């Protein structure tokens, strides 16, 4: 009895010695195409001490929710000219997450605090740069919404629509990938602003959600249209004032033929373009001149000074029932590789999130 009892308790009495297993999702190697599930692997066997090193000002967190976002594909290429460096093959990838503080060597954080920010795709993360983390005050909004509706995707929609699109009441707005993490919010904000809004998506189910749950005026399945130009002429007989661009490719070519004078195109993403260089090139750019169109790319971080008002405004709209949010939740870290790859084939319905561990 003596030996057993002693051996079993060893290390657990002094927390600083406690090591636990830490499953991780790692990148196998760089790619030049759309990600596949097999580009990532679940690595078991890593261990982590659940104690922040003394004097490090770091914290240890248990990850609860991880966000799957299309921009992450850019970090799976060996390309150093972007706004984020590539992931390291063999190491855990990272992204936005919601996590619970387990141990802290930083005066601003204590065990039990809930935070959102950049974390590793793993069960526990040692976070050394904590200045970018946001503390979440738990209320009646689901915690996972802090990497969706109230996180980077929501803020991308907010800053992109109000700041880049310069909307006016009554304008005609078109949103591609409209049921995705960003598109569903752009459409709802545009409706609340008094615009006429049409979205495109890739399945009947998504089109139904746009029309029946997200409140778009109309929506269509781009895969069922032989001619995108004539589809747009059907939904926008008067033309398009604002295009919120998430896909690129043939859809952008068709939109350029349907813009109104002084139209605006906010370029948020181009999920159809898999390499850093477009293979096909772009058509109909001459419309920019004849219609005096402003086409502008943007990153949400350029507007970060607006983040506090965004959280306040959108939280309030959500609590009043004026905005709904659809998320696609996968359970367990082992589901993460398929969830990330699925973004590029349109498998997700709404914002793709991985639940690593329920709070």
């Amino acid at each position: 009895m003596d030996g057993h009892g002693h051996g079993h308790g060893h290390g657990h009495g002094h927390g600083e010695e406690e090591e636990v297993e830490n499953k991780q999702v790692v990148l196998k190697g760089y790619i030049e195409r759309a990600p596949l599930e097999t580009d990532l692997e679940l690595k078991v066997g890593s261990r982590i001490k659940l104690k922040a090193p003394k004097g490090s000002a770091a914290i240890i967190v248990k990850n609860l929710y991880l966000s799957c976002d299309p921009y992450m594909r850019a970090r799976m290429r060996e390309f150093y000219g972007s706004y984020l460096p590539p992931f390291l093959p063999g190491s855990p990838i990272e992204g936005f997450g919601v996590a619970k503080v387990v141990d802290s060597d930083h005066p601003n954080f204590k065990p039990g605090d809930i935070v959102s920010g950049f974390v590793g795709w793993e069960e526990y993360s040692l976070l050394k740069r904590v200045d970018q983390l946001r503390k979440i005050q738990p209320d009646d909004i689901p915690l996972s919404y802090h990497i969706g509706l109230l996180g980077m995707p929501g803020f991308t929609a907010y800053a992109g629509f109000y700041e880049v699109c310069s909307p006016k009441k009554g304008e005609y707005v078109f949103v591609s990938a409209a049921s995705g993490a960003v598109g569903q919010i752009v459409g709802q904000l545009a409706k609340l602003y008094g615009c006429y809004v049409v979205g495109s998506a890739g399945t009947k189910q998504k089109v139904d959600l746009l029309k029946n749950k997200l409140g778009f005026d109309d929506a269509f399945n781009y895969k069922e249209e032989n001619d995108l130009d004539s589809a747009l002429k059907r939904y926008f007989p008067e033309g398009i004032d604002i295009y919120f661009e998430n896909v690129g490719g043939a859809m952008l070519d068709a939109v350029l033929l349907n813009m109104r004078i002084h139209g605006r195109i906010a370029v948020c993403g181009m999920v159809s373009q898999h390499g850093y260089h477009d293979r096909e090139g772009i058509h109909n750019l001459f419309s920019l001149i004849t219609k005096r169109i402003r086409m502008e790319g943007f990153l949400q971080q350029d507007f970060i000074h607006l983040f506090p008002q965004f959280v306040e405004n959108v939280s309030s709209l959500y609590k009043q029932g004026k905005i709904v949010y659809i998320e696609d939740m996968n359970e367990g870290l082992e589901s993460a590789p398929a969830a990330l790859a699925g973004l590029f084939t349109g498998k997700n319905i709404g914002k793709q999130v991985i639940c690593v561990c329920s709070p």
Side-chain angles (χ1 to χ4, degrees), residues 50-304:
L50 295 186
K51 191 84 186 148
K54 276 273 167 285
S56 64
I59 64 174
I60 301 240
V61 298
K62 182 177 178 59
N63 294 316
L64 306 175
Y65 298 102
L66 300 174
S67 176
C68 293
D69 298 296
Y71 82 87
M72 297 171 74
R73 172 181 54 196
R75 303 191 67 185
M76 297 169 76
R77 286 196 271 270
E78 193 170 17
F79 176 76
Y80 297 92
S82 188
Y83 58 98
L84 283 171
F87 294 133
L88 285 174
S91 296
I93 65 171
E94 59 171 13
F96 289 103
V98 174
K100 185 180 205 156
V101 178
V102 178
D103 189 57
S104 170
D105 187 55
H106 194 285
N108 296 354
F109 297 94
K110 59 181 194 309
D113 284 351
I114 304 285
V115 296
S116 71
F118 263 124
V119 299
W121 277 33
E122 53 194 353
E123 291 175 287
Y124 296 91
S125 291
L126 167 65
L127 304 179
K128 298 186 179 115
R129 301 189 311 272
V130 298
D131 48 324
Q132 300 288 312
L133 293 176
R134 296 179 192 279
K135 252 194 240 190
I136 296 174
Q137 303 309 329
D139 58 7
D140 48 2
I141 294 181
L143 284 181
S144 57
Y145 280 23
H146 288 273
I147 44 176
L149 178 66
L150 298 177
M152 182 276 292
F155 187 53
T156 300
Y158 185 90
F161 181 66
Y162 293 120
E163 304 300 313
V164 185
C165 293
S166 318
K168 298 192 231 355
K169 196 173 171 299
E171 288 193 315
Y172 300 112
V173 176
F174 177 48
V175 185
S176 51
S179 66
V182 176
Q184 58 175 305
I185 303 171
V186 174
Q188 293 180 88
L189 293 177
K191 281 301 298 170
L192 290 167
Y193 203 79
C195 298
Y196 179 82
V197 187
V198 177
S200 64
T203 69
K204 182 185 182 314
Q205 184 185 9
K206 291 177 184 180
V207 170
D208 289 345
L209 282 171
L210 290 170
K211 293 200 280 202
N212 304 324
K213 185 161 183 189
L214 294 165
F216 282 59
D217 291 293
D218 218 331
F220 66 92
N221 181 347
Y222 69 89
K223 291 179 185 165
E224 291 181 349
E225 302 293 340
N226 297 325
D227 181 346
L228 292 173
D229 176 34
S230 60
L232 291 173
K233 286 186 166 48
R234 206 161 71 234
Y235 290 98
F236 294 99
E238 309 280 320
I240 299 167
D241 291 296
I242 290 172
Y243 174 42
F244 198 96
E245 165 69 304
N246 288 314
V247 300
M251 187 63 88
L252 176 56
D253 291 349
V255 165
L256 285 165
L257 297 174
N258 288 279
M259 293 297 290
R260 287 159 65 91
I261 287 176
H262 296 305
R264 281 84 65 207
I265 299 177
V267 185
C268 170
M270 293 197 169
V271 79
S272 74
Q273 305 300 304
H274 297 300
Y276 194 69
H277 303 287
D278 300 342
R279 282 177 189 71
E280 294 85 50
I282 187 168
H283 306 95
N284 311 322
L285 271 183
F286 196 81
S287 300
L288 295 185
I289 305 164
T290 53
K291 298 286 170 65
R292 285 83 95 194
I293 297 164
R294 173 166 62 81
M295 182 169 171
E296 183 179 343
F298 74 98
L299 291 176
Q300 51 85 24
Q301 61 222 42
D302 297 340
F303 300 95
I304 211 72

Side-chain angles (χ1 to χ4, degrees), residues 37-53:
E37 182 179 346
T38 48
D39 295 323
L40 299 169
E41 67 183 339
L42 186 70
K43 189 171 137 210
V44 293
S46 290
R47 301 186 73 72
I48 186 171
K49 280 194 170 70
L50 295 186
K51 191 84 186 148

